Amino acid sequence: MLVISVIIPVYNVERYLLECIDSVLSQSYKNIEIILVDDGSTDSSSLICDQIKEKSDKVVVIHKQNGGLSDARNAGIQAATGEYVLFLDSDDFWDDKNAVFNLLNRVTKTQADVLNFSYKKYYADTNKKVPYFSGLDPMPEGVNTLYDQLSFLTEKGLYIASACNKMIRRSIFSKDLFFREGTFSEDIEWCAKLMATAKSMDFICENFYCYRQRESSISHTINTKKCEDLCNNIVRCFRVAADVDNNLKKFMYSYISYQYGTFFVVQALAESFQKKSISKLEDYKWVLKYYGHNKKLMFLYLGCKLIGYKNICVFVRKGYRLLAKRK
């Protein structure tokens, strides 16, 4: 039986940690190692990790000084021994006991380096769960070239900037595939590097990952640092794309175009006008032509052609502020 490594970075999540860990320990597939990376927690999270370890030989605990999410994930990758790796954030959880079994059953058939799956947003106040993808068929098993696999993922918008909705063959990890430390939006560049590294990709519509929506999370407070990190990670994606085989570049650009589109929204919600990042990204507005079937990106592409990139940024920012005043 293959060993599956589940890497869980932990930082001050005492309120959610047991639910997160229990959702992995309760899996029907039992050959799992759970790597808890305590990233210098100052609440009772460290103690909870040690208590869980005492009760289960499936659990490995790493205590380290605080270095951020990327640093914690990297420590987990180095400690992992499984054939495949999964990432689970410690305030999230899985709600299907057969999740790992289903993933492993699929990847055993297709032998993919990366198996993409869906997730759902979880709203604790209403206990509501909203699938990100739903009702989609899996990638046909006969799609066996990377070109055709990326075509499938790109046409349906299924390759997204998240480490947590992917099962990854551990043998493809190298220093180049570690997470960039000290930055927000780290998944954007990392997923571009993953696309450039993997020799095969797959997708199934499994909606077991529950992404907890918290107002206090880093994604809900947008400052200049976060905007600049997003901008820089998008620019780094273009550098990754430069080394991709020419036949695959269009898929990389399609992925980047979506990330590029997210910046319009992020800068609109930021505390102040992001002149520096806007100026840096203006030179890359051509990537929006790889919008595929995304109507919002098509609108942004046409807007840039008609009134210019900076003006579209201003327009979107004003639009969001008007909407906020009406609420």
Side-chain angles (χ1 to χ4, degrees):
M1 293 176 67
L2 297 181
V3 176
I4 305 300
S5 298
V6 182
I7 298 172
I8 305 178
V10 176
Y11 181 70
N12 290 356
V13 283
E14 59 184 7
R15 181 179 174 185
Y16 311 109
L17 187 54
L18 282 175
E19 182 179 24
C20 173
I21 298 172
D22 285 346
S23 74
V24 183
L25 287 173
S26 64
Q27 288 295 302
S28 60
Y29 186 82
K30 298 301 181 183
N31 208 15
I32 296 175
E33 67 170 5
I34 303 172
I35 303 174
L36 303 175
V37 186
D38 171 32
D39 192 36
S41 296
T42 58
D43 65 0
S44 64
S45 296
S46 299
L47 178 61
I48 294 172
C49 288
D50 290 336
Q51 290 173 338
I52 294 292
K53 180 183 178 181
E54 290 179 4
K55 296 177 181 178
S56 175
D57 59 3
K58 299 180 184 297
V59 176
V60 175
V61 176
I62 300 171
H63 294 291
K64 57 182 287 299
Q65 291 185 339
N66 180 255
L69 177 62
S70 291
D71 187 49
R73 283 177 173 173
N74 291 340
I77 293 167
Q78 290 175 301
T81 64
E83 184 76 14
Y84 283 89
V85 171
L86 286 160
F87 295 100
L88 173 58
D89 287 348
S90 52
D91 54 349
D92 299 334
F93 62 96
W94 299 340
D95 70 352
D96 184 350
K97 292 183 179 181
N98 292 317
V100 174
F101 176 83
N102 291 336
L103 294 179
L104 189 56
N105 183 55
R106 174 69 181 191
V107 85
T108 300
K109 292 179 182 178
T110 64
Q111 293 297 306
D113 283 346
V114 179
L115 174 58
N116 298 270
F117 49 91
S118 186
Y119 70 89
K120 50 197 168 192
K121 294 182 178 181
Y122 171 62
Y123 300 87
D125 54 342
T126 60
N127 203 35
K128 186 177 182 180
K129 298 174 181 178
V130 181
Y132 191 82
F133 301 121
S134 61
L136 294 177
D137 292 329
M139 183 184 295
E141 291 183 28
V143 180
N144 51 24
T145 69
L146 183 59
Y147 183 93
D148 290 337
Q149 291 162 358
L150 290 177
S151 292
F152 179 91
L153 294 172
T154 298
E155 288 173 6
K156 298 181 181 297
L158 299 176
Y159 190 77
I160 62 175
S162 173
C164 292
N165 80 319
K166 296 170 177 63
M167 175 184 263
I168 305 129
R169 190 186 301 275
R170 186 173 63 87
S171 62
I172 73 171
F173 279 93
S174 66
K175 286 292 184 181
D176 289 337
L177 203 52
F178 279 19
F179 291 85
R180 184 177 297 275
E181 298 175 10
T183 181
F184 294 106
S185 304
E186 65 283 331
D187 281 4
I188 289 177
E189 180 194 12
W190 183 83
C191 286
K193 292 192 296 183
L194 181 64
M195 182 187 287
T197 301
K199 302 301 182 184
S200 56
M201 293 248 183
D202 193 12
F203 172 83
I204 54 173
C205 194
E206 290 284 337
N207 284 295
F208 62 84
Y209 191 105
C210 296
Y211 172 32
R212 189 183 302 272
Q213 303 300 291
R214 289 199 289 154
E215 288 301 320
S216 59
S217 69
I218 58 175
S219 62
H220 286 89
T221 53
I222 302 174
N223 55 28
T224 296
K225 161 70 173 168
K226 290 175 184 175
C227 283
E228 290 182 348
D229 283 354
L230 173 59
C231 168
N232 291 333
N233 278 309
I234 291 171
V235 172
R236 292 186 188 110
C237 286
F238 285 99
R239 297 170 187 164
V240 175
D243 295 327
V244 172
D245 184 277
N246 286 335
N247 292 328
L248 304 179
K249 282 187 188 296
K250 65 178 181 180
F251 305 123
M252 182 70 76
Y253 288 145
S254 178
Y255 166 77
I256 298 172
S257 71
Y258 186 87
Q259 313 314 319
Y260 192 92
T262 64
F263 179 80
F264 286 92
V265 177
V266 171
Q267 65 85 28
L269 299 174
E271 299 168 340
S272 59
F273 186 66
Q274 300 299 306
K275 183 178 180 180
K276 180 180 176 181
S277 293
I278 289 171
S279 295
K280 182 180 290 189
L281 287 178
E282 184 174 17
D283 291 339
Y284 298 95
K285 61 180 180 293
W286 55 267
V287 79
L288 286 172
K289 68 182 180 180
Y290 292 91
Y291 53 76
H293 301 293
N294 189 302
K295 293 181 179 179
K296 291 181 181 178
L297 292 181
M298 181 177 67
F299 168 79
L300 292 171
Y301 174 65
L302 294 174
C304 285
K305 291 188 72 173
L306 291 172
I307 65 173
Y309 174 75
K310 290 181 180 179
N311 288 331
I312 280 291
C313 286
V314 172
F315 176 81
V316 174
R317 185 174 176 83
K318 287 182 177 179
Y320 269 89
R321 271 153 174 67
L322 284 173
L323 288 174
K325 287 180 180 179
R326 292 178 179 178
K327 289 183 178 180

